[in-house]
Amino acid sequence: MKYIILSLMILLSGCATKVVPIVAKFPEAPAALMTKCPPLITLPEDSKLSDVAKTVTQNYTIHYECVISMMPG
């Protein structure tokens, strides 16, 4: 029984002292994904509700055109 406990202690202590370095290597991102989208349109403080609706529509268009340009294929 003593030999079994001693052998288990030796085996387990051997595992605790060994360090295995792990380095993750990620691929480079495609150039199309690295381009920045144009800034969205902002409104002044005294804008009308109709101006807000137009600007929201324009911002959605700008955003989705940018997303489509980044898609592969």
Side-chain angles (χ1 to χ4, degrees):
M1 184 69 174
K2 291 181 185 180
Y3 295 115
I4 294 174
I5 294 173
L6 181 64
S7 62
L8 284 175
M9 287 177 56
I10 291 172
L11 288 174
L12 291 176
S13 67
C15 294
T17 59
K18 194 171 203 173
V19 178
V20 179
I22 298 175
V23 178
K25 295 182 181 178
F26 295 103
E28 291 294 321
L33 294 178
M34 299 303 290
T35 58
K36 290 188 175 185
C37 292
L40 300 177
I41 302 168
T42 57
L43 287 172
E45 292 291 325
D46 59 341
S47 55
K48 300 177 188 174
L49 186 59
S50 61
D51 294 335
V52 172
K54 288 177 188 176
T55 305
V56 167
T57 304
Q58 290 173 345
N59 282 340
Y60 271 113
T61 304
I62 291 170
H63 171 73
Y64 284 115
E65 284 177 350
C66 183
V67 169
I68 289 172
S69 69
M70 289 184 186
M71 289 180 140

